[in-house]
Amino acid sequence: MTTHVSDAAVFASLLLAGFLGMELVTYLVHRFVMHGALEHLHLSHHRNAAAEFAAKSPEANDVFPLAFSVVVVAAMWAGFNIDGLSWLLPTFVGVTLYGVVYTVIHDGIIHGRVRWMKRGDSRLAASLAVAHRSHHRANGEPYGMLFPWLTMKRESPTAARHDAQQPA
């Protein structure tokens, strides 16, 4: 029984590390790749951000989630097939969960591309939308998704309330 508990604890720890680690990866890739060498691809998102998801055609920025998914599939394959790399499985399950949460928050809640997911009166959803809108407006900080307030400059409460009501 002790082995099962320790196996579960290791699995949960690696899953959590994969999930939380992706926020750092997201920040770094967004900051130094999407707003760096490959900014010409990412700008399609900044120009097309408010488009309804169903009416949207693929854009150059879609190469980034595609690249992340290729990395996840390769890591999962390695975890299943290469001795000593089984730790990749729970880690990349965490990465996959982050991708799901990111998609729901970014595409569904912030940009309202999925009608039934449009943000409601949640303070968290409103604060994430304000942070993301600030990023689109200034083309700068915050670059992260789930914890944008770690790097974002503070706005006045009045501006934040007004901004939360505007479409992303």
Side-chain angles (χ1 to χ4, degrees), residues 88-163:
L88 288 171
L89 296 173
T91 305
F92 279 83
V93 166
V95 168
T96 301
L97 290 174
Y98 180 90
V100 170
V101 170
Y102 182 98
T103 301
V104 167
I105 290 172
H106 181 264
D107 291 330
I109 296 171
I110 291 174
H111 287 297
R113 291 184 184 138
V114 182
R115 284 193 181 118
W116 60 269
M117 283 188 202
K118 288 186 180 180
R119 66 183 168 274
D121 292 332
S122 160
R123 291 181 73 150
L124 176 61
S127 71
L128 291 173
V130 166
H132 197 71
R133 196 168 304 99
S134 173
H135 165 71
H136 276 246
R137 208 176 319 122
N139 209 27
E141 290 287 357
Y143 294 102
M145 175 55 60
L146 299 180
F147 309 108
W149 47 86
L150 295 176
T151 59
M152 187 174 154
K153 293 178 184 170
R154 300 252 182 229
E155 291 187 29
S156 74
T158 306
R161 268 195 308 278
H162 171 73
D163 223 22

Side-chain angles (χ1 to χ4, degrees), residues 66-82 85 88-89 92 96:
L66 181 62
F68 282 136
S69 66
V70 168
V71 171
V72 168
V73 168
M76 293 285 209
W77 180 90
F80 275 114
N81 293 296
I82 299 176
L85 294 182
L88 288 171
L89 296 173
F92 279 83
T96 301

